[in-house]
Amino acid sequence: MSPSTIQVTETARFLGAGSATATLTAQARELIPGGTSRLHYVFEPYPIYARSGAGCRLTDVEGDARIDCLNNMTALIHGHCNADVNAAVIEQLGRGASFSEPSEPEVALARLLVQRVPSLERVHFRSSGTEAVMMAIKLARAFTGRDMIAKFEGGYHGYYDYVQMSVLSTPANWGDAQAPHSVPSSGGLSRAVEQEVLTLPFNDPQGVERLLQQHGGRIAALLVEPLSNRSGMALPASGFLDFLREVTRRHGILLIFDEVIAFRVGPQGAQGRYGGAPDLTAFGKIIGGGLPIGAVGGRADVMGLLDPTRGPARVISGGTYSGNPLSAAAGAATLRLLTATQFERLDALGRRMREGINSIFRATGQPAQASGDASLFQLVPTDRPIENYRSIPRDAAATAWLDRLHQGLLRAGVIVSNRGLGCLSTAMDEADVDECLGAFEQAVAGMRV
Ligand SMILES: Cc1ncc(COP(=O)(O)O)c(C=O)c1O
């Protein structure tokens, strides 16, 4: 069946007693803590299990198709089984899955990234976004000789110890808005981490200025996700990223952009769309075309710390799968398809989706909004302006609202994350977006009864 002939229909088959999904869930929970290795995909009563994807549709193990507005947590910008991406992977697989030696796809992907993003002079590959962020922080520490890092409240950057701080803060522990507490967001972090992470308020230049005046001399890197989904996709206020550029330079701090998701917003990523000119950028997700990848790129003098050809490297790297040819081939094919025209299409589709959802929320009196930019959207349980992490209600009612909407959408044939994250792919057209909006209408109507 071709993608365009698959229709989504309302279904709750996965919830039925004795369904294939219920059986798989029971088996998985005996084998894997929580039933899956990705905490982000655990929700009540249990997730659907994917069997296959084609274009913008995903079919579950019950045989039910839905429109995929999550695309492996934003990684699949061309949707599932894109012909060019699959051909590149299959061609490479015919030559070998991975080697000890470097290979041509790694060089090709590096060239595509450096050509696209003006702040990249050199690039270095890893196997995940988490590893890319970890390497960027290590480079900054080695370059500056300082230990501390600064990050924004609510910013998610993967699960390296030093970024698992203040990701899940609550009103009970987050402290002063202008000087947020650094709150551990996972067990297993050394207490030293708490001492070495400064938490900053997003979109608050005075707050950032004051905190950096106090601690700036000890900080190696300031890490920012220009468009943070945990913060309701709060857009950086006009000039905020340029302010970060200026203030970090003044304090001798390296500015790191985390564009693991935000690289989706345009040909040169978030830095091309919102400004900021970082020293280093962490990438992941779309640059691997659906296969595991991460990359850090930036200034040649900083990246040069990884270079062992001019004396011993100052920062030691490794990774059996770093720069692996399958991911690099998929990533290069993905970037080649991402033309300016495709970004314009995605922008228009994203606008249509956000405006459509917002008019449904308004018409039905839901105090909520679809925020975001370009091909990204976030379902947020407030109709007030979103500036940062604290703009989002985090009480039980807000969580229950999102849970009901998420479940309603799943039944109506649309996949978003259980925290309201959604994104589009180039596999979609206006009719697909309108089909999603029909499902939104159904899901929201179900919330009123
Ligand atoms: C902004 C951001 N940074 C880093 C990461 C970590 O990337 P990965 O899951 O590939 O380790 C993620 C993952 O969702 C992310 O959204």
Side-chain angles (χ1 to χ4, degrees), residues 89-396:
V89 173
I90 290 163
E91 198 188 324
Q92 180 55 45
L93 205 48
R95 287 196 285 267
S98 61
F99 312 109
S100 313
E101 293 72 17
S103 57
E104 291 161 304
E106 181 181 4
V107 185
L109 182 58
R111 180 170 297 113
L112 284 166
L113 286 168
V114 169
Q115 279 169 348
R116 252 169 209 257
V117 186
S119 72
L120 300 194
E121 293 176 322
R122 297 285 186 278
V123 62
H124 168 95
F125 291 105
R126 309 268 85 222
S127 297
S128 67
T130 296
E131 285 182 66
V133 167
M134 179 179 79
M135 182 54 84
I137 289 173
K138 263 191 192 171
L139 284 167
R141 288 205 185 104
F143 189 78
T144 59
R146 301 171 179 177
D147 289 334
M148 283 181 75
I149 68 148
K151 71 176 285 289
F152 288 95
E153 188 170 53
Y156 177 74
H157 305 284
Y159 52 91
Y160 175 46
D161 291 15
Y162 287 85
V163 294
Q164 282 198 311
M165 294 294 293
S166 296
V167 182
L168 303 169
S169 306
T170 65
N173 61 22
W174 65 24
D176 185 342
Q178 286 219 305
H181 288 162
S182 288
V183 183
S185 301
S186 171
L189 304 185
S190 153
R191 241 160 280 154
V193 170
E194 263 174 79
Q195 311 303 314
E196 293 189 356
V197 178
L198 176 70
T199 302
L200 302 173
F202 191 69
N203 272 340
D204 177 356
Q206 286 85 20
V208 171
E209 182 79 63
R210 199 167 27 249
L211 286 166
L212 292 187
Q213 248 154 31
Q214 284 167 33
H215 305 281
R218 295 167 56 211
I219 294 173
L222 188 159
L223 184 61
V224 60
E225 191 188 357
L227 195 64
S228 166
N229 69 293
R230 302 288 169 118
S231 299
M233 294 264 175
L235 294 179
S238 170
F240 184 65
L241 296 176
D242 289 326
F243 158 74
L244 293 182
R245 172 64 287 172
E246 184 275 317
V247 72
T248 48
R249 194 168 278 142
R250 213 172 346 113
H251 289 281
I253 297 168
L254 293 193
L255 180 61
I256 304 174
F257 274 19
D258 179 344
E259 296 218 25
V260 170
I261 288 183
F263 194 50
R264 251 183 176 268
V265 301
Q268 298 170 357
Q271 51 205 272
R273 199 163 173 107
Y274 313 119
D279 298 297
L280 296 175
T281 304
F283 301 92
K285 304 216 192 236
I286 69 165
I287 69 155
L291 273 66
I293 202 156
V296 54
R299 278 168 49 180
D301 55 348
V302 183
M303 297 297 295
L305 300 178
L306 287 159
D307 183 353
T309 64
R310 299 176 198 176
R314 295 226 349 250
V315 173
I316 305 302
S317 74
T320 306
Y321 298 105
S322 301
N324 89 77
L326 282 182
S327 299
T334 296
L335 290 188
R336 286 195 188 102
L337 290 172
L338 273 178
T339 57
T341 313
Q342 287 292 10
F343 277 112
E344 279 161 26
R345 266 194 72 230
L346 283 171
D347 275 10
L349 291 175
R351 240 186 336 268
R352 189 182 185 91
M353 181 73 103
R354 286 186 298 276
E355 285 172 8
I357 298 169
N358 284 331
S359 65
I360 293 168
F361 285 155
R362 269 194 307 275
T364 52
Q366 296 283 339
Q369 64 189 292
S371 59
D373 199 11
S375 61
L376 291 161
F377 67 90
Q378 179 81 33
L379 306 170
V380 188
T382 177
D383 53 7
R384 298 162 77 109
I386 302 167
E387 282 169 20
N388 60 31
Y389 183 76
R390 297 195 187 193
S391 312
I392 316 299
R394 299 191 181 275
D395 54 8

Side-chain angles (χ1 to χ4, degrees), residues 361 366 400-402 404-406 408 442-449:
F361 285 155
Q366 296 283 339
W401 181 87
L402 260 179
R404 291 184 71 204
L405 181 57
H406 171 246
Q442 232 171 288
V444 170
M447 293 169 78
R448 290 154 64 84
V449 292

